[in-house]
């Protein structure tokens, strides 16, 4: 596609349920990032995929959070047993190579609301 | 650890005026990039301007320019001839060069351009 696509755009769930958020990066982009943006806050790094290398998971806040990426395509961020503090916008970004050398392109995010 | 601070949570200016958004950062490293991102209500982050720390010349992009003071660790964004479409959240961000590829964001400044 023309840009980074995220789905769903909005997700409302009940506390304790699992959710899956999807990110379709720009075709050919090897790098993919997930960020979390709480209300009124900046972006918090969650996880980074680069090609076939092991992902950098250092930003994941707890073991309830996990993410997968198949090759250089779609990525899924999974949050298990959701809590109210998980409510946030989850943003995905991709770049042709590393952010050091290439521009990041962001999706429009998934607004997650945990009731 | 690197940190980015934006001390102005919210600002308002009249259309056609010039506005300056402040950003300071902290790092012990010498080689890095600094960015300003714009986030309109659509939530999609858009790169406004990028500055390489090794370059003394301030970056400019049309109506957008920066004042980069490396010794003071300051990186302000000036928007000239502001337009209604400039209304958005603006995030200052930092990236170490050729390291972990994790962009660190400030908490943002909400800018309102008034007609």
């Amino acid at each position: 596609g023309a840009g980074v696509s995220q789905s769903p755009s909005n997700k409302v769930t009940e506390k304790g349920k699992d959710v899956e958020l999807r990110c379709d990066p720009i075709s050919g982009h090897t790098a993919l990032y997930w960020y979390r943006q709480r209300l009124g806050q900046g972006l918090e790094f969650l996880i980074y995929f680069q090609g076939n290398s092991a992902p950098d998971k250092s930003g994941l806040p707890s073991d309830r959070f996990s993410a997968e990426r198949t090759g250089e395509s779609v990525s899924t961020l999974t949050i298990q047993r959701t809590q109210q503090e998980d409510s946030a916008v989850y943003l995905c970004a991709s770049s042709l190579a590393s952010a050091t050398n290439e521009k990041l392109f962001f999706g429009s995010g998934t607004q997650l609301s945990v009731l | 650890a690197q940190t980015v601070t934006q001390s102005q949570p919210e600002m308002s200016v009249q259309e056609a005026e010039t506005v300056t958004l402040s950003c300071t950062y902290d790092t012990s490293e010498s080689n890095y990039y600094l960015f300003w991102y714009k986030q309109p209500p659509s939530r999609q982050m858009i790169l406004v301007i990028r500055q390489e720390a090794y370059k003394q010349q301030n970056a400019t992009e049309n109506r957008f320019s920066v004042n980069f003071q490396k010794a003071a660790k300051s990186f302000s964004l000036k928007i000239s001839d502001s337009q209604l479409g400039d209304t958005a959240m603006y995030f200052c961000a930092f990236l170490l060069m050729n390291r972990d590829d994790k962009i660190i964001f400030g908490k943002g400044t909400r800018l309102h351009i008034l007609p």
Side-chain angles (χ1 to χ4, degrees), chain A residues 39-97:
Chain A
L39 186 64
Q41 302 295 312
L43 279 65
E44 302 171 69
F45 167 79
L46 295 178
I47 189 168
Y48 164 49
F49 295 90
Q50 176 58 269
N52 293 318
S53 302
D56 179 346
K57 303 180 181 181
S58 61
L60 294 179
S62 77
D63 59 8
R64 296 187 296 105
F65 287 72
S66 62
E68 293 184 348
R69 187 183 187 194
T70 306
E72 295 181 357
S73 61
V74 172
S75 175
T76 302
L77 176 68
T78 301
I79 308 173
Q80 295 178 308
R81 306 181 301 282
T82 51
Q83 303 295 312
Q84 289 183 333
E85 68 255 26
D86 299 334
S87 295
V89 174
Y90 290 83
L91 289 164
C92 175
S94 71
S95 67
L96 193 57

Side-chain angles (χ1 to χ4, degrees), chain B residues 3-70:
Chain B
T3 60
V4 178
T5 302
Q6 293 180 250
S7 59
Q8 303 152 311
E10 196 159 0
M11 297 181 72
S12 297
V13 295
Q14 294 294 134
E15 190 177 8
E17 289 185 349
T18 294
V19 59
T20 299
L21 309 182
S22 301
C23 173
T24 58
Y25 59 94
D26 190 25
T27 184
S28 58
E29 304 284 341
S30 300
N31 298 316
Y32 49 86
Y33 298 97
L34 294 162
F35 308 86
W36 278 98
Y37 278 88
K38 172 184 178 181
Q39 187 180 42
S42 67
R43 297 197 306 239
Q44 189 171 34
M45 300 281 281
I46 302 165
L47 178 64
V48 174
I49 203 163
R50 165 177 162 142
Q51 174 82 43
E52 290 86 351
Y54 61 84
K55 289 186 178 178
Q56 292 186 342
Q57 187 173 6
N58 289 324
T60 62
E61 286 288 343
N62 301 313
R63 297 182 296 107
F64 299 87
S65 62
V66 297
N67 183 3
F68 174 45
Q69 302 289 328
K70 191 171 184 180

Side-chain angles (χ1 to χ4, degrees), chain A residues 9-10 33 35 37 40-43 45 48 56 58 89 91 98-100 103-104 106-111, chain B residues 33 35 37 39 42-45 47 50 91 95-108:
Chain A
S9 178
N10 292 282
Y33 304 76
Y35 282 86
Q37 185 179 21
Q41 302 295 312
L43 279 65
F45 167 79
Y48 164 49
D56 179 346
S58 61
V89 174
L91 289 164
S98 72
T100 299
K103 179 180 174 181
L104 276 189
F106 282 82
S108 296
T110 294
Q111 171 76 64
Chain B
Y33 298 97
F35 308 86
Y37 278 88
Q39 187 180 42
S42 67
R43 297 197 306 239
Q44 189 171 34
M45 300 281 281
L47 178 64
R50 165 177 162 142
F91 293 93
L95 172 67
L96 281 174
M97 191 179 292
N98 296 322
R99 294 284 284 276
D100 57 16
D101 278 329
K102 288 184 284 194
I103 298 181
I104 299 167
F105 289 84
K107 292 188 176 181

